[in-house]
Amino acid sequence: MTPISTPFTGGEHNRMMCWGMAVLAAVVIGWIGIPASQAAAPDQTPRDLTQTFITVSSAFQKAHPSDRAQALANLVERAQQRHSVLSSLIEQDPKEFLHVAVPEKLRASLPDAAKSFVEQEVELEGTLEVYHEDYEATSRFLYKLQTPGGRFGLNFASDAPQLLTGSRVRVKGMRLTHMLALDSGTTSVTTLALTMPLVSGAQKTLVLMVNFSDKAATFTLDTLRARVFTTASDYDKENSYDQAWLTGDAFGPLTIALSSTVCDYSTLASQAKSAATNAGVQLSNYNRYVFVFPKNFCGWWGLGTVGGNPSQAWINDNPQLRVIAHEMGHNFGLYHSHSLDCGSTVIGSTCTTSDYGDTVDVMGTSNGHFNAFQKERLGWLNSSVTPPITMAQGSGQYLIDAFEPKGSTSKALKVLKSTDSTTGKKTWYYVEFRQPIGVDSWISGNANLTNGVVIHTGSESSANSSYLLDMTPATTSWSDPALTVGQTFQDATTGVTITPSSIDTVNKKAVVAVNVSAPACVPNVPQVAITPSNGVVVPPGGMASYTLTVANTDSSTCSAGNFSVAISAQSGWTTSASPVALTLSPGASGSSSLQLASPTALPDGMYDVPVTVTNPASNKGVSGNAKYVVGVACAHANPTVVLSPGNGPTVTAGATVTYTASITNHDSTGCGGESFAVQGTVPQSFREAVSPTALTLSPGQTATVGFSVTAPRKKLATGSYSVSVTATNSGFPTYMGTGTATVNLAALR
């Protein structure tokens, strides 16, 4: 469950969008009872376009059949305009895309010509692909879903899933062409089968040196082979305590047709593999592929799948240890190692994070060892065949060995920081004693690191939760993050105190004192969700129902919270919440039923009704919107046709039987009148006539047509013959109904 809006206690990190202020204006306009589509604006925002589309859709549904063609043309034009803008929005701001998505009930009522341009609520199953683009100062994740129906890009409004390439998942979101927008990784993704990293033993690696059609590499194949299979392999072997290393070979250079002016990692990999196959390389002998190429149009210096079998890594003109080891870390299944900067304090309520901020970890900014949290995830620490991590069971003195050498002694200390009240997942402090040994020789001369302990935090619920803490916040540098003898780190919130009692740089051992006391109550912003999340479509003044779900995320030591529910509607709206207050223990959830009805004169459009949940005792709260859509949600249905009499009279050859066909339009009341084509069907040699052959019926309306059947003059076998009348919706021909009757033919005398 994810919060639906910005907490009172701080601003939400939002992407800067060129239409941001215009969207805000659209909300305000909508609030005073005027759809944003009616406001003059030189450039329509996604919200404006949706408002206009809803209005035009309603006009189409209400149009007389004689005006339907023009109404359809207008609807399709508006759908195309909106589609063009939303095709960019879904990647740039998936949260706003989801907000302006039309409810599925409205989409279902659209004609096929317009429906193809409108987002669709879907549920797909497939194999997840996770890519991580590494730039010099920033990075981003790319998510793809491979399904039997094609490959889709996934864009998350919040909390992307921390899964590995190759995981089988089921996703729920809004689809527009080949892209999906999803609410969050926790609410929109279900893991069906988890793929774990293959990080034990020889990692069979194929390195392909690639030249573009217009540019060749400046490094040699021998240099590349040594960087990967000597330097990087030795790095991994030391890091894993002899559990994993790289084996394989490098081939090239392979010249591909792709130009360096193009950034297309998928095509690059495909063409490189084809060139290698043509050169006699057996790709199936390897489960890790590394593509190294001259600098191209891509701005990143490295790209890697997060996990995967086979995994893939792309090195952009920089085959250095840090780059290779970093991207291989992604291939092993690791996310970045970050830093946590809380200003003048080590840890606090107001902190910033840095993506590559960990200055002692190659998944951050150094050439150093993976930290203890990362190694534990890979099974390189705390498994049955790797060195242990000591679990602090309470207050006491704990001995840990230097982090780098292999052996059977403890390489880190793990201290419980907190337990998530809603999930039960734990967050830990990881304490390491780093020494200038092997890969970590770079810290030689750094008295802070060699004479102290390094502390990270990591959560078992989040692969992307590795944070280096700064134990010297008075300095601006991150070259001195260690806690040295004579210093104490205290987390008053969790009741944890960590003190290095002694550091032995000769015997490479450290003694760390841990004191655990009762943690303080930590009030947190509640988590809130409103369903249906995609809104309710009603006529003006219609009553819409929602379910508000509230989760108390306060720490476990807090008492039960009393959460008030308030709906802030404008004058003329009718609202209710039941109950208006929820008493919830930490980790517990409860729900309230919301009822909303707009003024009867409200124009068609999309309206946001603010809903606020607050805990007055802690002044923690969150606000969001119930999505209320005024429009025509037409639900077409098959008409019914009833023939009378059902069992016709007995006639002789050449005689005519007359029936009455009663035709009823069963479309919902939101639909306009529809034209129905009427046609009779009789056995061979019979003749039929229908009058009239077309009817226009409003929803629920019934009309009759005459149906005559004339028996052939030639001699036929006596008995009963079936006849029928079919009514077809002319505007939506998939909707039709048929009524049947019989005519009995007597023998000629």
Side-chain angles (χ1 to χ4, degrees):
M1 189 186 309
T2 53
I4 55 178
S5 189
T6 305
F8 296 152
T9 53
E12 181 182 5
H13 177 70
N14 293 316
R15 303 178 188 216
M16 296 187 63
M17 306 298 299
C18 61
W19 54 68
M21 294 304 297
V23 169
L24 178 61
V27 175
V28 175
I29 292 171
W31 247 133
I32 61 175
I34 304 172
S37 61
Q38 297 183 16
D43 297 309
Q44 287 194 309
T45 69
R47 190 86 49 102
D48 293 334
L49 292 168
T50 299
Q51 300 277 27
T52 300
F53 180 76
I54 293 171
T55 300
V56 174
S57 174
S58 296
F60 169 80
Q61 302 291 359
K62 298 172 184 176
H64 189 274
S66 62
D67 300 323
R68 187 63 57 77
Q70 181 57 50
L72 176 61
N74 190 27
L75 178 63
V76 171
E77 180 183 3
R78 298 296 184 179
Q80 291 173 326
Q81 292 174 351
R82 181 175 176 272
H83 178 274
S84 178
V85 174
L86 264 62
S87 294
S88 298
L89 184 67
I90 192 171
E91 292 187 87
Q92 296 169 350
D93 193 350
K95 183 177 181 180
E96 179 66 11
F97 177 92
L98 290 172
H99 186 77
V100 301
V102 298
E104 187 62 25
K105 185 178 180 181
L106 191 151
R107 183 188 185 276
S109 68
L110 297 173
D112 291 342
K115 192 180 293 182
S116 60
F117 296 104
V118 179
E119 61 278 6
Q120 178 184 8
E121 191 173 331
V122 297
E123 184 172 303
L124 302 175
E125 290 186 11
T127 302
L128 187 65
E129 300 172 12
V130 185
Y131 300 88
H132 202 290
E133 290 182 351
D134 288 300
Y135 298 81
E136 191 63 35
T138 186
S139 67
R140 70 166 184 165
F141 286 97
L142 302 174
Y143 301 88
K144 307 289 183 181
L145 184 70
Q146 187 67 53
T147 76
R151 188 166 179 254
F152 298 90
L154 306 182
N155 304 280
F156 294 90
S158 65
D159 301 328
Q162 295 174 24
L163 298 172
L164 303 182
T165 295
S167 300
R168 290 284 301 175
V169 297
R170 179 187 302 116
V171 302
K172 294 179 66 177
M174 301 298 298
R175 173 187 173 182
L176 190 68
T177 60
H178 63 287
M179 304 293 291
L180 268 71
L182 304 97
D183 179 36
S184 74
T186 53
T187 61
S188 303
V189 179
T190 302
T191 304
L192 305 176
L194 188 64
T195 296
M196 299 303 294
L198 301 174
V199 289
S200 179
Q203 305 300 298
K204 298 178 180 179
T205 304
L206 173 64
V207 180
L208 297 180
M209 179 179 172
V210 179
N211 288 338
F212 295 112
S213 61
D214 61 342
K215 184 182 287 188
T218 57
F219 44 84
T220 68
L221 185 64
D222 287 341
T223 297
L224 186 58
R225 183 181 288 113
R227 294 272 177 83
V228 175
F229 296 107
T230 300
T231 307
S233 181
D234 290 348
Y235 172 89
D236 289 331
K237 191 173 184 179
E238 179 183 318
N239 260 270
S240 66
Y241 308 102
D242 293 347
Q243 296 303 304
W245 58 94
L246 307 181
T247 186
D249 206 351
F251 294 88
L254 304 169
T255 301
I256 62 175
L258 193 68
S259 168
S260 64
T261 61
V262 176
C263 182
D264 186 345
Y265 65 88
S266 182
T267 299
L268 189 158
S270 177
Q271 292 187 3
K273 288 178 182 178
S274 294
T277 299
N278 294 335
V281 179
Q282 190 66 38
L283 299 180
S284 60
N285 291 338
Y286 308 91
N287 59 10
R288 304 198 182 279
Y289 303 133
V290 180
F291 310 98
V292 188
F293 46 90
K295 188 173 182 61
N296 72 344
F297 188 72
C298 297
W300 40 262
W301 47 262
L303 169 71
T305 61
V306 183
N309 185 20
S311 66
Q312 299 187 104
W314 293 256
I315 309 298
N316 192 345
D317 196 42
N318 193 18
Q320 303 298 317
L321 172 63
R322 180 190 167 204
V323 180
I324 298 170
H326 185 99
E327 298 308 325
M328 293 300 292
H330 285 315
N331 288 172
F332 293 160
L334 298 182
Y335 287 70
H336 281 169
S337 296
H338 317 288
S339 62
L340 187 69
D341 189 342
C342 302
S344 60
T345 61
V346 175
I347 199 162
S349 59
T350 305
C351 305
T352 59
T353 64
S354 176
D355 191 19
Y356 296 100
D358 193 335
T359 54
V360 298
D361 187 339
V362 77
M363 299 310 294
T365 58
S366 83
N367 291 334
H369 271 241
F370 297 133
N371 66 54
F373 171 78
Q374 304 283 33
K375 288 189 181 186
E376 187 178 37
R377 291 195 63 244
L378 297 176
W380 293 354
L381 279 178
N382 224 28
S383 73
S384 60
V385 294
T386 57
I389 295 176
T390 298
M391 185 84 70
Q393 300 295 335
S395 300
Q397 301 278 340
Y398 296 91
L399 177 68
I400 56 175
D401 200 2
F403 192 62
E404 296 82 6
K406 63 181 180 180
S408 59
T409 55
S410 176
K411 296 297 180 181
L413 177 63
K414 195 172 175 181
V415 184
L416 180 63
K417 180 180 185 293
S418 61
T419 302
D420 191 293
S421 60
T422 58
T423 65
K425 299 293 186 179
K426 295 179 176 12
T427 298
W428 305 88
Y429 291 111
Y430 289 82
V431 184
E432 308 161 14
F433 176 47
R434 297 287 189 105
Q435 289 294 285
I437 300 171
V439 173
D440 273 351
S441 294
W442 66 274
I443 69 174
S444 179
N446 187 323
N448 172 262
L449 288 174
T450 58
N451 293 286
V453 293
V454 173
I455 302 178
H456 295 83
T457 61
S459 173
E460 63 187 23
S461 66
S462 173
N464 198 28
S465 65
S466 176
Y467 293 96
L468 174 66
L469 303 184
D470 185 7
M471 294 296 150
T472 59
T475 70
T476 59
S477 172
W478 276 89
S479 64
D480 57 352
L483 185 71
T484 57
V485 175
Q487 294 180 306
T488 294
F489 163 65
Q490 182 176 13
D491 186 349
T493 299
T494 62
V496 172
T497 300
I498 299 174
T499 305
S501 300
S502 64
I503 299 293
D504 186 348
T505 59
V506 176
N507 296 305
K508 310 300 182 186
K509 299 183 182 297
V511 177
V512 180
V514 176
N515 184 68
V516 180
S517 59
C521 166
V522 182
N524 293 310
V525 176
Q527 292 181 349
V528 183
I530 297 177
T531 55
S533 58
N534 199 29
V536 178
V537 183
V538 293
M543 183 64 71
S545 299
Y546 308 80
T547 299
L548 172 71
T549 303
V550 182
N552 183 351
T553 63
D554 293 346
S555 67
S556 59
T557 54
C558 296
S559 57
N562 296 311
F563 298 90
S564 62
V565 179
I567 304 173
S568 303
Q570 293 290 317
S571 176
W573 286 71
T574 301
T575 66
S576 67
S578 180
V580 296
L582 297 167
T583 300
L584 303 171
S585 300
S589 297
S591 61
S592 177
S593 297
L594 309 180
Q595 301 282 324
L596 307 175
S598 70
T600 56
L602 199 67
D604 293 343
M606 182 176 67
Y607 300 87
D608 292 330
V609 180
V611 180
T612 301
V613 177
T614 310
N615 183 348
S618 63
N619 198 32
K620 299 285 186 178
V622 62
S623 61
N625 298 302
K627 188 173 175 179
Y628 185 99
V629 178
V630 177
V632 176
C634 167
H636 294 288
N638 291 325
T640 56
V641 182
V642 179
L643 287 183
S644 180
N647 187 13
T650 300
V651 299
T652 58
T656 298
V657 181
T658 301
Y659 301 83
T660 299
S662 297
I663 302 172
T664 304
N665 180 356
H666 291 286
D667 291 349
S668 67
T669 56
C671 301
E674 295 292 346
S675 178
F676 294 89
V678 187
Q679 183 178 7
T681 303
V682 297
Q684 189 176 5
S685 300
F686 284 72
R687 291 182 292 117
E688 57 83 22
V690 173
S691 182
T693 57
L695 293 171
T696 298
L697 301 174
S698 300
Q701 185 180 3
T702 300
T704 60
V705 301
F707 178 48
S708 63
V709 179
T710 302
R713 294 188 178 277
K714 65 180 182 180
K715 184 177 180 180
L716 291 180
T718 60
S720 297
Y721 291 83
S722 179
V723 297
S724 64
V725 171
T726 299
T728 303
N729 189 320
S730 300
F732 302 88
T734 57
Y735 296 95
M736 62 179 67
T738 300
T740 61
T742 59
V743 58
N744 303 303
L745 190 61
L748 293 172
R749 297 185 181 275

